[in-house]
Amino acid sequence: AGTENQFPTSHTALLRVTPKGPDSERSSFLFIKKVCGTALDPKKSWNDRRRTLLFARTESRFYQEFAPILREHKVPLPRVANIQCQLEALDEKEQLMDDPATEPDPDAIRNSGVVFLMEPAHSRFTQQSPLPEAQTLVALKTVASLHKAAFEDCELLGKVASRLQRHGGSFALSIRNPNELAKVVTHWKRFMEVFRPHAPDDFFSRPSIQQLGERLEKWSHWVAEQLAAKPSDRYATIVHGDFKAMNVFLPQASNEPKKSSQQDTESGEEDKGQGMLIDFASSGTGFGMADVAMLLAHSVSPSALIDAEERFIDYYLGAVNNDQLSNTAPRYPKHVALRHYRLAVIDYGRFVVGRFWGDASPEQFLKKQDRPNVTLVNRNVEAALAFVNRMDKCLQFFEEEQLLLQVT
């Protein structure tokens, strides 16, 4: 069909399918995604190549084992025509957070891979980043349907933790290279030097900002522990794990998210006010606000967040809690959700500083400004500085909480 993309770890294309015989004039399309062991760079460590295969396995298991269940709860997901999965290089039970075993035989790696054949996104859908406010609301409503479908479902979440990721999320500390955290302080000092001329005069003079690297390093393990939801934990659910604008298709011209009526829900009709979630390579157990925090940092402009951050959170919570009686306590109370949100902002901040900001500069940001898959805080100076402010405020919340606990 003339649409083909090659990435370092995968190959995607849109295929035109034309049947033989009398229906030969009726063609249709399928989306294909391939992750092949033969395409993995042998110069990279086995752990890096293993990660790619594990991400592909997580996504294949999500579509084969969990998508049918979630679709029954009206979670908008693409239909799968076929998945071929052969991963002899991996142990059946190993996960990303586990230490890698001895590198398998080269033939086992070359013979490993996953091929997905899926329905393509409908023409009424679009993708863009950063998102305007209306489409941000639609994205939040869409991911809320995923979270609500598995919310506190211990049996389902036990299977999620076993078959997908125990700690959902592409930036979960347990699956990241330890070198990233070790570099946070150094990266932050360099970031301050490089971006000082582009910040307000007193921005980097504030003691809390100057010490941000040390504070992130100090709090990272505790924050990660707070976010490491177990299947039996209150408020636990299945998280997307890499929730950004380019992993959700949104209705075109969605000036305002459509409110689904009870009649629509009962009739089983598709909610035209929702998007469609894709790319579940980092899915696992977690708290829903981790997905919300990533979306707002990765894909929403800082000008929108200044006025609408709390409104976005309230809208998401309304979508998660919208089927409950008015006189019952919400399944995801706002004070709990805000705590999870602050933790997730810090967690994502640790990832961004350690992973991306080692060579960050306004010149590098300019080169990446039109790449929607790159997080906005690594391609837009205003977004980066606003995110620094949010990290600072979230860290202050827990620092003050700790002081109060010490006093009492």
Side-chain angles (χ1 to χ4, degrees):
T3 57
E4 188 173 350
N5 293 295
Q6 288 187 313
F7 304 101
T9 58
S10 65
H11 184 184
T12 66
L14 194 61
L15 301 180
R16 187 193 302 273
V17 181
T18 304
K20 294 182 179 179
D23 294 329
S24 60
E25 294 184 0
R26 297 177 58 190
S27 61
S28 58
F29 293 94
L30 283 175
F31 174 79
I32 183 172
K33 177 179 178 179
K34 297 193 300 181
V35 178
C36 302
T38 53
L40 301 179
D41 185 355
K43 295 178 183 178
K44 290 193 173 183
S45 69
W46 161 235
N47 194 36
D48 284 342
R49 289 173 286 157
R50 166 183 169 269
R51 287 170 61 84
T52 298
L53 296 175
L54 282 168
F55 281 132
R57 188 184 71 179
T58 295
E59 187 164 22
S60 68
R61 287 179 173 179
F62 176 89
Y63 282 120
Q64 292 176 310
E65 301 174 25
F66 297 96
I69 299 169
L70 296 169
R71 200 173 282 114
E72 290 178 0
H73 292 271
K74 305 292 189 273
V75 181
L77 304 169
R79 301 279 177 180
V80 176
N82 190 265
I83 295 177
Q84 294 293 319
C85 185
Q86 181 173 312
L87 293 167
E88 57 188 79
L90 301 177
D91 180 85
E92 175 70 13
K93 294 184 178 180
E94 73 176 292
Q95 292 207 7
L96 280 162
M97 63 187 297
D98 299 330
D99 292 329
T102 305
E103 180 172 341
D105 183 82
D107 286 340
I109 300 174
R110 284 193 292 268
N111 293 334
S112 293
V114 183
V115 178
F116 302 85
L117 283 172
M118 311 173 72
E119 68 169 349
H122 193 279
S123 60
R124 72 181 180 87
F125 286 126
T126 187
Q127 288 180 301
Q128 69 180 89
S129 179
L131 295 171
E133 181 174 341
Q135 286 198 320
T136 301
L137 295 176
V138 177
L140 291 170
K141 177 182 179 181
T142 303
V143 82
S145 70
L146 171 69
H147 299 158
K148 186 165 67 171
F151 200 87
E152 293 184 346
D153 187 334
C154 295
E155 182 179 356
L156 178 60
L157 293 176
K159 295 175 182 176
V160 168
S162 173
R163 299 292 290 169
L164 303 181
Q165 281 186 208
R166 252 169 288 169
H167 302 157
S170 58
F171 56 94
L173 183 61
S174 61
I175 71 165
R176 301 306 309 176
N177 188 324
N179 290 333
E180 291 177 0
L181 181 56
K183 295 176 180 177
V184 162
V185 174
T186 303
H187 286 185
W188 177 244
K189 289 179 179 177
R190 181 193 171 279
F191 184 93
M192 287 194 291
E193 292 176 7
V194 173
F195 284 86
R196 190 179 300 275
H198 304 273
D201 290 341
D202 62 343
F203 187 84
F204 288 113
S205 299
R206 291 151 49 189
S208 63
I209 297 294
Q210 290 181 346
Q211 298 162 11
L212 187 70
E214 288 85 353
R215 295 161 70 207
L216 283 173
E217 183 181 51
K218 173 185 174 181
W219 284 89
S220 285
H221 285 288
W222 181 84
V223 166
E225 289 171 2
Q226 303 305 303
L227 290 172
K230 296 185 290 293
S232 58
D233 284 349
R234 288 199 69 185
Y235 317 116
T237 188
I238 183 171
V239 294
H240 182 281
D242 193 21
F243 190 53
K244 56 188 177 183
M246 299 308 286
N247 281 338
V248 56
F249 282 98
L250 299 170
Q252 296 194 50
S254 55
N255 295 322
E256 196 169 319
K258 172 183 176 290
K259 295 182 180 179
S260 56
S261 66
Q262 184 177 359
Q263 183 178 0
D264 287 343
T265 304
E266 291 174 350
S267 67
E269 291 182 12
E270 179 186 7
D271 184 353
K272 297 297 191 296
Q274 277 193 331
M276 183 172 71
L277 299 166
I278 61 169
D279 197 345
F280 292 88
S282 298
S283 295
T285 51
F287 297 115
M289 291 305 292
D291 281 339
V292 174
M294 179 175 175
L295 178 77
L296 298 188
H298 190 292
S299 306
V300 180
S301 68
S303 57
L305 281 177
I306 288 174
D307 298 322
E309 183 179 19
E310 188 165 358
R311 186 161 72 249
F312 288 147
I313 292 171
D314 287 340
Y315 184 85
Y316 163 81
L317 291 175
V320 169
N321 298 320
N322 68 356
D323 61 341
Q324 295 185 279
L325 298 175
S326 58
N327 62 345
T328 60
R331 61 166 59 88
Y332 202 3
K334 185 173 180 179
H335 72 280
V336 175
L338 283 175
R339 183 178 185 82
H340 291 165
Y341 178 75
R342 294 182 182 107
L343 289 166
V345 168
I346 298 168
D347 204 40
Y348 188 62
R350 175 265 312 157
F351 166 69
V352 168
V353 177
R355 177 71 177 85
F356 298 126
W357 281 1
D359 62 351
S361 68
E363 293 74 24
Q364 287 294 324
F365 281 16
L366 192 61
K367 292 178 182 177
K368 295 180 285 192
Q369 65 177 347
D370 297 321
R371 292 167 57 184
N373 254 318
V374 174
T375 179
L376 200 60
V377 299
N378 197 39
R379 61 186 174 100
N380 179 284
V381 174
E382 183 186 2
L385 297 178
F387 186 56
V388 168
N389 259 328
R390 293 207 300 284
M391 283 192 284
D392 179 38
K393 290 179 181 178
C394 291
L395 281 164
Q396 284 181 8
F397 176 87
F398 293 108
E399 289 163 344
E400 291 171 3
E401 180 183 77
Q402 185 184 59
L403 287 174
L404 285 173
L405 289 173
Q406 289 174 349
V407 169
T408 57

Coordinates of all heavy atoms in Angstrom, one line a residue, residues 18 33 67 96 104 148 151 156 204 239 265 296 313-314:
T18 N -5.7 -8.7 -1.5 CA -6.6 -8.8 -2.6 C -6.9 -10.3 -2.8 O -6.1 -11.1 -3.1 CB -6.0 -8.3 -3.9 OG1 -5.7 -6.9 -3.7 CG2 -7.0 -8.4 -5.1
K33 N 3.2 -5.8 11.7 CA 4.4 -5.3 12.5 C 5.2 -6.6 12.8 O 4.7 -7.6 13.2 CB 3.9 -4.8 13.9 CG 5.0 -4.4 14.8 CD 4.4 -3.8 16.1 CE 5.5 -3.4 17.1 NZ 4.9 -2.8 18.3
A67 N -6.7 -8.9 25.5 CA -7.6 -8.1 24.7 C -9.0 -8.6 24.6 O -10.0 -7.8 24.7 CB -7.0 -7.9 23.3
L96 N 11.3 -8.6 32.2 CA 12.3 -7.6 32.0 C 13.1 -7.3 33.2 O 14.3 -7.0 33.2 CB 11.6 -6.3 31.5 CG 11.3 -6.3 30.0 CD1 10.2 -5.2 29.8 CD2 12.5 -6.0 29.2
P104 N 21.8 -17.1 24.8 CA 21.5 -18.4 24.1 C 22.2 -18.5 22.8 O 22.9 -17.6 22.3 CB 20.0 -18.3 23.8 CG 19.7 -16.8 23.8 CD 20.7 -16.2 24.7
K148 N -10.3 1.1 34.2 CA -11.6 0.8 34.9 C -11.9 -0.7 34.7 O -12.4 -1.4 35.6 CB -12.7 1.6 34.4 CG -14.0 1.4 35.1 CD -15.0 2.5 34.8 CE -15.5 2.5 33.4 NZ -16.6 3.5 33.1
F151 N -9.7 -2.7 37.2 CA -9.5 -2.0 38.5 C -9.8 -3.0 39.7 O -10.9 -3.5 39.8 CB -10.4 -0.8 38.6 CG -10.0 0.2 39.6 CD1 -9.0 1.2 39.3 CD2 -10.4 0.2 40.9 CE1 -8.6 2.1 40.2 CE2 -10.0 1.1 41.9 CZ -9.1 2.1 41.5
L156 N -7.5 -11.2 37.7 CA -7.0 -10.8 36.4 C -5.7 -10.2 36.5 O -4.8 -10.4 35.7 CB -8.0 -9.8 35.7 CG -7.6 -9.2 34.4 CD1 -7.4 -10.3 33.3 CD2 -8.6 -8.1 33.9
F204 N 17.3 28.9 37.9 CA 18.3 27.9 38.4 C 19.0 28.4 39.7 O 20.0 27.7 40.1 CB 19.3 27.7 37.3 CG 18.7 26.8 36.2 CD1 18.6 27.4 34.9 CD2 18.4 25.5 36.4 CE1 18.1 26.6 33.9 CE2 17.8 24.7 35.4 CZ 17.7 25.3 34.1
V239 N -2.0 -1.2 33.5 CA -1.6 0.1 32.9 C -1.0 -0.1 31.5 O -0.5 -1.2 31.2 CB -0.5 0.8 33.7 CG1 -1.1 1.3 35.1 CG2 0.8 0.0 33.9
T265 N -24.2 2.3 25.7 CA -23.4 1.2 26.4 C -24.2 -0.1 26.3 O -23.6 -1.2 26.1 CB -23.2 1.6 27.9 OG1 -22.5 2.9 27.9 CG2 -22.4 0.6 28.6
L296 N 0.7 13.6 30.1 CA 0.7 15.0 30.3 C 2.1 15.6 30.1 O 2.3 16.7 29.6 CB 0.1 15.4 31.7 CG -1.3 15.0 31.9 CD1 -1.8 15.6 33.2 CD2 -2.2 15.5 30.8
I313 N -6.8 15.9 35.3 CA -6.9 14.9 36.3 C -8.4 14.6 36.8 O -8.8 13.5 36.9 CB -6.0 15.2 37.5 CG1 -4.5 15.2 37.1 CG2 -6.3 14.3 38.7 CD1 -3.6 15.7 38.1
D314 N -9.1 15.7 37.0 CA -10.5 15.6 37.4 C -11.3 14.9 36.3 O -12.2 14.0 36.6 CB -11.1 16.9 37.7 CG -10.6 17.5 39.0 OD1 -10.1 16.7 39.8 OD2 -10.7 18.8 39.2

